[in-house]
Amino acid sequence: MRLNRTATLLAALLLVSCSAAPAVTAAPEAASSWDHGWARGAVFYEVFVRSFADSNGDGIGDLQGLISRLDYLNDGDPKTTADLGVDALWLMPVFDSPSYHGYDTVDYEKIEPDYGTGADFERLLAEAHKRGIRIIVDFVMNHSSSKHPWFVEASSGAASPRRSWYEWRGNDPGWKQPWGSGSTWHRNPRDGAFYYGIFWSGMPDLNFRTPAVREEMKRLAGHWLAKGVDGFRLDATRHLVANGPGEGQNNQPETHAYLKEFAGHVRSAAPRAVLVGENWTETPVIATYFGDTAAVPGGDELPMNFNFPLAEAIVQGLTSGDAAGIAGKLAEMAEVYPAGVDDAPFLTNHDQTRLATQLDNDPARLRAAAAILLTLPGSPFLYYGEEIGLQNGPGGADEFKRTPMPWHASPGGGFSTGKPWHDFAPGRETANVAAQARNRASLHSHYRALIRARKGSAALRLGNLELLTADDRSAPVLAYLRQSGKDRVLVVHNVTGAAAVAGPFKIQGKKATALFTTPGTAAPARGRDGWTVKLPAGASGVWKIK
Ligand code: ACG
């Protein structure tokens, strides 16, 4: 049944560029378009280096450890099926930082010593590129660490030449965090003035009204692009400039203006690069961060933006057993997202309780979540461990969302020969790579099959989305048609714990060829009124219709 409001997500086809060489051209004026066809439809994998693999027994994951696990992520051979098959990695902060998470930078040009050296990072890039894996890194522009030499200098007194790199006031204007109750103006013990830090006193916000700050961030981006980095995940982008309390701390015109300036610089330095913005807010606001798609195909601001609302709708839909909320979010995106942009869907990230815990470790729901994510338009992001159903640790602190990767069930878990920097999450007996990699019915095998189905279908990777599920009433099945050229793929997901029937769907074609089906799922039946699908509880089906 088609909606009266047929929602269609358009995905323009950018020229696919396979230039693996980390060419950084001289900076002519901003290139007219991005050349990162490699990223469109690609599957990304978010890695917390500290928790992924430790090579030297100090209990801390490092770059050498990550290199040793690249073949697990993608061995570079499209014919093999044992590897996960992801196309790109997003490394959470790897620059020098005093914290375990690295979101407070003290040197934007130095690799975190816990993780290794600059040479290790260059070896990682080379080994990844050899396998066709691209790497984007977290770039935290909104603030530095209060231990950064810039801030140490700026906080020495009002006469400091660095003073204007941060924001200062003589008193505390009392602004709170826009999302909570934390203070955002902090007293500088060295001279009694107050400085702005939207997160906390250890993260003073950089002042993007200062030209030298704007130029330095562009220079740093160029530095890492010249080393071969394939792009950046930009942290807290919606907070770059604050003009006042509350909404004045979010989404300001100066923020958009700078992001366009920054993106223009990246486009001219390395058109092959990609930027993905973190704007944790509502759909209509996220839509504004792509910028102008007439000026630059894909948008002249951030070509990709994480889709927090869709992530939430998927988890809520699977929790409630009702697909209407997911359908509604897809319909809203079709209305407010600019045409031709590249979405960045995901399920949960390092700031959120892990998916397996949110879905009560329910295998059918975890399988359905993966099947929805990996059949959507855009470039889906997996969070390390999601593919094995890694649970959240038993606590509320953020560290429990970022626990060591369990490679096998033995005491050290294959993560380190030393004492891990943090305890493993519960469930390692079964939620570990070794146990799942060899089990065809495992979640890990499910992710691998879905990633390969996606790679094998232009419609799934690059096609548009036509919603077939009404969003104005409860629905047990989420159904949509993905289309690219003549490639038409029917996708259905039963988000309930009971068998369900979906259709009839009027889709041109006489033959249904399975690209992916949850075991026990029969092919769609073609009748007078169209295609009808019977789905077991939690099952998904993906069929090419010709
Ligand atoms: C980034 C990184 C995060 C990092 C920092 C600081 C920023 O991912 O790991 O923390 O460098 C806000 C910011 C984000 C920020 C998070 C942590 N994430 O916008 O940039 O805080 C609301 C607001 C969001 C807000 C969120 C926080 O809208 O802006 O994010 O609350 O919970 C629905 C609503 C949605 C609402 C959510 C949640 O979805 O639609 O609007 O979001 O509910 O309520 C680093 C470390 C941390 C450390 C921190 C200081 O990683 O461990 O604590 O630094």
Side-chain angles (χ1 to χ4, degrees), residues 348-425:
T348 60
N349 70 13
H350 64 283
D351 285 333
Q352 299 167 319
T353 301
R354 276 194 171 268
L355 180 72
T357 300
Q358 291 204 48
L359 293 181
D360 300 327
N361 299 309
D362 177 332
R365 285 178 173 162
L366 290 173
R367 281 198 297 272
I372 294 169
L373 175 66
L374 289 162
T375 54
L376 284 172
S379 306
F381 280 68
L382 313 182
Y383 179 38
Y384 82 92
E386 172 186 317
E387 75 275 20
I388 57 171
L390 185 56
Q391 296 176 44
N392 213 76
D398 285 343
E399 288 88 337
F400 289 107
K401 301 163 185 162
R402 310 159 184 180
T403 56
M405 182 73 168
W407 295 96
H408 48 68
S410 79
F415 162 72
S416 171
T417 55
K419 179 174 172 9
W421 74 276
H422 192 283
D423 291 344
F424 287 99

Side-chain angles (χ1 to χ4, degrees), residues 49 62-64 66-67 70 89-95 108-112 115-129 134-138 223-232:
V49 171
D62 48 48
L63 297 178
Q64 189 50 50
L66 175 52
I67 290 171
L70 285 177
L89 307 184
W90 153 28
L91 306 187
M92 286 167 58
V94 291
F95 304 149
Y108 285 91
E109 294 180 82
K110 183 183 173 193
I111 293 298
E112 164 56 44
Y115 295 166
T117 64
D120 292 327
F121 184 72
E122 292 185 21
R123 192 164 39 251
L124 169 65
L125 285 175
E127 286 300 321
H129 289 159
R134 258 68 177 215
I135 292 189
I136 69 173
V137 295
D138 232 310
H223 169 82
W224 289 106
L225 291 168
K227 286 201 179 291
V229 160
D230 297 292
F232 302 102

Side-chain angles (χ1 to χ4, degrees), residues 92 100-101 103-104 140 143 178-179 199-200 203 233 235-239 250 278-282 308-309 312 349-352 398 402:
M92 286 167 58
Y100 83 90
H101 51 70
Y103 279 98
D104 39 345
V140 185
H143 50 271
W179 58 83
F199 289 102
W200 70 293
M203 290 181 172
R233 178 266 187 182
D235 187 60
T237 30
R238 73 197 201 93
H239 307 301
N250 302 328
E278 186 221 12
N279 300 292
W280 191 348
T281 185
E282 301 305 327
F308 288 89
E312 204 168 303
N349 70 13
H350 64 283
D351 285 333
Q352 299 167 319
D398 285 343
R402 310 159 184 180

